[in-house]
Structure formats: structure tokens, C-alpha cells
Amino acid sequence: MSPAGRMAAGQGAQRGFALIPALFLVVVLGALAAVAVRVSVAQSQTVVLSLQQERALSAARAGIEWGAYRALNGACGGTTLNLAEASLAGFQVVVTCSATAFTEGTANVNAYAVTSTATIGSYGTADYVRRVVRATFTSAP
């Protein structure tokens, strides 16, 4: 074989050598892109869940206010509110109230314990949120 033939055969063997690092680079870049997308989706879901938790807390606080209003107007008991307005739409709020009568000095006073539980979504799903708020107050002037 002539020297020109040997050189041509050697160059042919070196041409395929660049294919292995190129494939490795493509696989590594693809894996990095997949991780970046997964992290981005997880952060987005975290923000959405945090917002839902704050909305549930607001719905539970609204239930406390409703329960306090009802208790101070003589209707201490349980009720369920299905909120349908603005940012609290879709929340179900269960409000319970218990009253205890006692005498303070010469006045008869009631002490109220109100519990408000706000939920949205189905238990066991990723979009389920539940918040419970409790309050105690009296009817003393």
C-alpha cells in the first residue's frame, strides 16, 4: 500500500471519533434541560399552592366573622357557607359555635368558641387545601 493510501485510511478512522463526544454532549444538555423544566414546574406549583393556602386562610377568617356575628345576635350554632364571590369562590367553610353562660359581677355573660374550617379541592389531590381558625370571645360590654 502506498503512503497516500495509508494516510487516507488513517483519516477515515479519525472521522468517527468526534461522534462520541458530540452524542455525550447532546445527552448531557438534554438532561440539564429536563431538570430545568422540572424545577420550573415545581416552583410554579409551589407558588400556586401558597396562594391557595392564603385564600383558604382568608375564607376561614370570613367564617369566624360570620360565626361571631351570628353568635352575638343569638344564633350560635353550626352552619356551612359555600363562597361564590371574588377570590374566595369555590371554598366551603364549615362554622361551628358553642356558647357557655357565666356570671361576671351582676351581669350574665356568654363566652363563645367559634371554629371555622375552609376547604377547596378533594382530599388526597394536589389541589386540596384546608385551613382551620379558632376564636373565643364574650358578649360582655
Side-chain angles (χ1 to χ4, degrees), residues 83-103:
L83 304 179
E85 296 295 323
S87 64
L88 300 182
F91 280 92
Q92 181 180 38
V93 182
V94 177
V95 180
T96 59
C97 177
S98 62
T100 304
F102 65 94
T103 303

Side-chain angles (χ1 to χ4, degrees), residues 13-72:
Q14 290 179 358
R15 283 189 206 149
F17 180 75
L19 183 61
I20 293 172
L23 286 175
F24 178 75
L25 187 62
V26 167
V27 169
V28 168
L29 289 178
L32 287 175
V35 168
V37 167
R38 192 172 284 236
V39 167
S40 174
V41 168
Q43 286 178 342
S44 175
Q45 289 174 340
T46 300
V47 168
V48 168
L49 188 58
S50 177
L51 179 62
Q52 282 291 80
Q53 290 171 351
E54 289 299 320
R55 290 174 63 212
L57 183 58
S58 293
R61 287 179 179 162
I64 289 291
E65 291 179 16
W66 175 248
Y69 171 79
R70 288 177 48 95
L72 292 174

